[in-house]
């Protein structure tokens, strides 16, 4: 998914609230469309921009794949982030400017590191059909790696275990002694949690903030009911969370140390200031070597300039300030 970020995802203010450790803060995702694919965008939201280094969460589908509707995201660029794709059902083909071509299937992590620049497409397989259901997340890269080279990895060897009535698979980072082999540039965690009827207590790290996105069914987080399409945020200072379900449910647990610096997100770019975004935009528009080339049947996605670079944007006073 290209998952471009728009003004409706991001506020012009820099307020960031931190609830006390006992609070479960529930926010609704925003319904939008990426290409032809209906998605629920849980991050960024006006109420909650980031969870640790996690700065973007699109829940796509479930949708029956047809000629008119499915994952066909044409080549587009990224900087300063990792994309992590995780499917619950269906398949997609990842192609990138490093020459990677990888079929993405349920139970496997697809992780692309953009660094200073990469481009990719996400396309329906030739034998398209069935139901597509999954998530794509972005992880902001820290200063140490965000100017570095792009990279790609695919992981099918993920650790999983039963914790209470939950089946936990660790996608990145570690939880309860389970350690994912996936690359990690900051102290973040991502886990798929299937919850059967019953209760599970998951261990958390007090220094991290966490969030639970419900992908199927509904889950009670401590004593708050959280439905599909909602995100439950848990501030730092907790060492565990209780999950219970009355039906077979599925959610995603993400967490990490609060990101140490404000980030500026525009379109498919994660940076720190407008000059970096402006340069990234110009390099894509003029097709410099920065983002390489993707071997795709689809034409590359073009974008109009950031508002602050255009006379119209300046005249109307549009802003897109960093967090
Ligand atoms: Mn993308």
């Amino acid at each position: 998914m290209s998952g471009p970020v728009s003004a409706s995802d991001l506020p012009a203010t820099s307020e960031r609230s931190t609830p006390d450790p006992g609070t479960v803060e529930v926010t609704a995702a925003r319904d939008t469309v990426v290409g032809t694919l209906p998605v629920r965008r849980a991050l960024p939201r006006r109420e909650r921009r980031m969870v640790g280094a996690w700065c973007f969460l699109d829940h796509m589908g479930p949708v029956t794949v047809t000629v008119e509707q499915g994952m066909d995201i044409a080549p587009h660029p990224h900087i300063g982030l990792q994309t992590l794709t995780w499917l619950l059902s269906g398949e997609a083909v990842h192609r990138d400017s490093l020459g990677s071509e990888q079929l993405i299937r349920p139970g496997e992590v697809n992780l692309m590191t953009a660094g200073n620049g990469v481009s990719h497409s996400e396309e329906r397989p030739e034998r398209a059909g069935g139901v597509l259901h999954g998530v794509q997340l972005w992880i902001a890269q820290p200063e140490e790696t965000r100017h570095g080279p792009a990279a790609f990895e695919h992981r099918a060897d993920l650790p999983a275990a039963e914790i209470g009535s939950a089946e936990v698979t660790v996608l990145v980072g570690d939880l309860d002694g389970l350690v994912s082999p996936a690359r990690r540039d900051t102290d973040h965690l991502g886990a798929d949690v299937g919850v059967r009827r019953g209760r599970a207590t998951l261990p958390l790290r007090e220094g991290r903030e966490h969030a639970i996105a419900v992908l199927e069914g509904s889950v009670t987080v401590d004593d708050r009911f959280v439905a599909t399409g909602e995100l439950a945020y848990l501030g730092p200072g907790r060492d565990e969370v209780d999950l219970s379900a009355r039906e077979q449910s599925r959610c995603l647990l993400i967490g990490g140390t609060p990101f140490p610096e404000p980030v500026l997100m525009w379109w498919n770019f994660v940076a720190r200031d407008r000059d970096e975004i402006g340069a990234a935009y110009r390099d894509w528009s003029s097709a410099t070597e920065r983002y390489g080339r993707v071997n795709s049947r689809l034409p590359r996605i073009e974008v109009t300039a950031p508002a602050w670079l255009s006379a119209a944007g300046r005249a109307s006073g549009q802003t897109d300030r960093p967090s």
Side-chain angles (χ1 to χ4, degrees), residues 120-171:
H120 72 149
S121 67
E122 288 143 306
E123 304 174 19
R124 79 188 76 196
E126 292 210 356
R127 51 188 174 89
V131 172
L132 184 68
H133 189 197
V135 288
Q136 187 176 90
L137 302 109
W138 296 355
I139 303 152
Q141 287 184 254
E143 198 57 36
E144 300 77 56
T145 64
R146 72 185 186 98
H147 304 289
F152 173 76
E153 64 186 51
H154 190 82
R155 298 287 183 182
D157 49 342
L158 301 169
E162 301 269 328
I163 301 178
S165 64
E167 169 77 25
V168 176
T169 305
V170 179
L171 313 186

Side-chain angles (χ1 to χ4, degrees), residues 1-4 73-78 81 83 85 94 112 119-122 136 138 268:
M1 309 229 303
S2 70
I73 313 298
H76 59 276
H78 287 288
L81 60 88
T83 63
T85 307
H94 164 98
M112 183 180 73
S119 55
H120 72 149
S121 67
E122 288 143 306
Q136 187 176 90
W138 296 355
N268 294 299

Side-chain angles (χ1 to χ4, degrees), residues 172-229:
V172 59
D174 64 288
L175 180 75
D176 203 29
L178 304 170
V179 183
S180 165
R183 171 174 165 172
R184 189 172 66 142
D185 291 4
T186 81
D187 169 41
H188 57 279
L189 157 75
D192 179 286
V193 183
V195 190
R196 299 184 303 275
R197 280 176 65 95
R199 178 172 292 269
T201 301
L202 305 184
L204 303 178
R205 290 233 187 108
E206 290 193 21
R208 290 177 177 162
E209 55 186 350
H210 296 84
I212 292 154
V214 180
L215 307 179
E216 278 178 353
S218 59
V219 173
T220 299
V221 178
D222 289 350
D223 55 357
R224 284 291 300 272
F225 179 83
V226 187
T228 295

